[in-house]
Amino acid sequence: MNPYLRIHTTGSGTHQPSPREEIQRRGWRTVIAHQTRNVPHTGHEHLMKNAAFMGDIEPCHGILVNAIIGAKRLGDFVDEAILEGHEAVSKYGYISPRRHMVTMTLWDMRYGNPLESLLHGIIRQNMGCTHHMFGRDHAAVGDYYDPYSTQILWERGIPSFGLTAPPYDLDKGLKIRPVNIKEFWYCPKCGEIAYSDTCGHADVAQRFSGSFIRGLIAEGIEPPPIIFRPEVYRVIVKWWRVYNYPFVNRRYLELKERELEVDLKPMEVSSRR
Amino acid sequence: MPYKIAVILDKSRIERIRGTPVEKEVKDLYGGYLKVIELTVPDEIAQRILKEFPRARIDARGFIEETPVAFKRELFEVIVKLKSTGPEVFDELLKPDRLGKIKEAAAKEDEYLPPPNVAYCG
């Protein structure tokens, strides 16, 4: 793994800059956050590259990938493959390492879609990001929420949550700005990966599906490079050999609970009004 | 509402359907990099599959995904046996004997799946 992450996780005693300090050191004026609990397929990669065009007077200087590391649902990818998979994207130049940084947050996914997106906004703003990309089914599982409910929250607020305006437009709200993106699909007519709102061939478009790709992988079939980078696939196989399984299963969850859970003394939190 | 389920075809599977009516139903995916057969799944059958395999789900495309590997493997065997992709495939697939065999194999999959033989380039 990237030394930047390794020092963070092993606590070597060396001062390691926080993401905010690292952003300042790199001189990035605008940084867009990419929330992830997935090993990236090329649809994610296109989302990152294209969302980053929304900066200020030029595209965002940096793309900060912030992987959620912790308990996940059975069948999601293992944490190690998520982090190394994202690192492989810049290591092999699919996104230049000059513009790409992989970080993580220890957090058990709640799959809370719009509610969880507020937490994401706070965390990434604190990390120093100026923008946050939100795609379809943000922090979602199944069809409990509308696929675009997070985007609705960040576009106009959700009054039933007590938010009558987007989080950046409220008194004492967040400063981080949303970049709402629909989806990228493979269009056989265009012969390329296209943006759903730009491509006019919805009737023949072939959408990306993480579930489909996971099924392909489970069957032992290497996904084609147009949907999955070979170097990223090899990362999955590397960790598959370690755990004898490519995805989160009960045994992996028990192991991670032992490794990552920390017992804290009860904390008293004063409330000020 | 009917859903769909896709069976991916590698070279050996393509060989096994060659010359049958099923061969005409092979579709290209992602620029021809993948070959698949897509079956229409009536709603009641889809609900039964979701019930029998709790981790299975309908994805954003309306396809039933995350079924056990053993389920997809057996589905392909039934397609080959019946030389069809019609609804009778699911009648055969969900017969108690066959379903029991799939579930037995699927239970083992939760603990172990054999990794493919590819080199790590890291």
Side-chain angles (χ1 to χ4, degrees):
Chain A
M1 279 190 228
N2 183 329
Y4 179 72
L5 290 167
R6 194 161 54 226
I7 292 170
H8 259 289
T9 52
T10 56
S12 65
T14 313
H15 173 72
Q16 183 67 18
S18 66
R20 181 176 281 276
E21 288 169 327
E22 180 63 14
I23 285 168
Q24 283 170 355
R25 189 189 71 77
R26 293 186 186 201
W28 289 351
R29 185 177 66 239
T30 49
V31 185
I32 187 161
H34 175 68
Q35 144 71 24
T36 188
R37 62 174 170 100
N38 253 313
V39 174
H41 53 59
T42 52
H44 295 125
E45 201 183 297
H46 277 73
L47 170 69
M48 286 189 266
K49 287 173 179 171
N50 286 281
F53 276 111
M54 179 76 85
D56 45 19
I57 56 167
E58 56 187 342
C60 275
H61 290 167
I63 299 167
L64 184 140
V65 176
N66 189 230
I68 296 297
I69 299 303
K72 294 187 184 65
R73 75 181 181 105
L74 302 176
D76 275 2
F77 283 110
V78 299
D79 291 334
E80 295 87 341
I82 295 169
L83 281 171
E84 278 194 40
H86 275 279
E87 286 176 353
V89 168
S90 52
K91 184 174 178 183
Y92 295 98
Y94 298 110
I95 297 177
S96 166
R98 290 192 311 276
R99 299 187 68 202
H100 190 250
M101 180 160 71
V102 179
T103 62
M104 64 182 186
T105 294
L106 284 174
W107 171 254
D108 295 340
M109 282 291 300
R110 264 66 168 187
Y111 303 96
N113 204 321
L115 285 173
E116 200 148 348
S117 79
L118 287 171
L119 178 74
H120 292 159
I122 294 166
I123 292 172
R124 280 78 196 236
Q125 179 174 306
N126 287 342
M127 284 181 154
C129 294
T130 52
H131 297 71
H132 200 305
M133 60 187 90
F134 295 113
R136 172 169 58 84
D137 286 326
H138 183 88
V141 69
D143 55 3
Y144 185 80
Y145 287 98
D146 180 281
Y148 291 104
S149 55
T150 287
Q151 297 195 0
I152 292 168
L153 170 71
W154 287 81
E155 185 188 331
R156 53 181 189 265
I158 298 182
S160 60
F161 288 179
L163 299 171
T164 52
Y168 61 86
D169 209 13
L170 292 163
D171 183 34
K172 297 177 183 148
L174 296 173
K175 289 194 163 40
I176 196 165
R177 304 286 295 202
V179 178
N180 289 344
I181 296 272
K182 289 202 174 153
E183 64 181 305
F184 291 87
W185 58 37
Y186 178 78
C187 174
K189 191 101 172 166
C190 300
E192 63 185 12
I193 293 172
Y195 183 53
S196 59
D197 265 9
T198 309
C199 174
H201 308 122
D203 51 332
V204 293
Q206 295 163 1
R207 300 171 74 185
F208 284 90
S209 161
S211 305
F212 174 73
I213 293 172
R214 283 193 291 273
L216 204 65
I217 288 168
E219 286 198 65
I221 298 168
E222 178 165 352
I226 196 158
I227 59 169
F228 217 87
R229 303 296 184 190
E231 296 90 343
V232 177
Y233 176 66
R234 276 154 182 71
V235 166
I236 291 173
V237 175
K238 173 189 166 186
W239 290 101
W240 187 341
R241 289 193 182 123
V242 171
Y243 293 114
N244 285 323
Y245 204 70
F247 311 116
V248 170
N249 60 10
R250 289 191 193 288
R251 195 178 50 217
Y252 181 82
L253 276 180
E254 285 164 13
L255 176 74
K256 287 293 139 179
E257 194 170 305
R258 284 198 299 275
E259 284 180 355
L260 297 177
E261 289 289 319
V262 179
D263 287 326
L264 291 174
K265 290 177 186 168
M267 289 184 287
E268 292 213 1
V269 181
S270 61
S271 58
R272 285 188 207 156
R273 289 182 184 270
Chain B
M1 172 188 167
Y3 297 98
K4 288 201 166 187
I5 192 161
V7 178
I8 301 153
L9 303 171
D10 58 10
K11 281 181 188 163
S12 70
R13 284 181 173 177
I14 288 173
E15 279 308 310
R16 292 184 63 199
I17 57 165
R18 198 175 295 282
T20 72
V22 177
E23 189 182 6
K24 293 188 183 70
E25 296 182 45
V26 175
K27 283 188 175 177
D28 280 346
L29 258 192
Y30 304 122
Y33 280 104
L34 283 178
K35 308 278 184 198
V36 295
I37 310 172
E38 292 177 359
L39 291 87
T40 301
V41 189
D43 187 46
E44 60 180 88
I45 300 286
Q47 297 311 323
R48 176 140 182 237
I49 293 169
L50 296 178
K51 194 175 155 204
E52 298 286 358
F53 301 100
R55 218 180 292 168
R57 54 185 291 263
I58 311 284
D59 75 3
R61 307 168 305 154
F63 279 68
I64 301 174
E65 290 293 350
E66 304 200 32
T67 53
V69 173
F71 177 85
K72 287 275 182 90
R73 197 179 296 137
E74 203 62 16
L75 173 58
F76 178 72
E77 293 302 325
V78 175
I79 291 169
V80 171
K81 183 183 166 192
L82 302 184
K83 296 184 177 58
S84 165
T85 57
E88 66 275 14
V89 167
F90 297 102
D91 295 339
E92 175 65 27
L93 184 70
L94 297 173
K95 278 184 178 166
D97 280 5
R98 215 179 262 275
L99 186 62
K101 206 171 89 180
I102 296 170
K103 284 193 162 185
E104 197 179 315
K108 291 177 191 157
E109 274 176 37
D110 283 346
E111 288 300 309
Y112 177 73
L113 277 174
N117 193 21
V118 295
Y120 176 61
C121 55

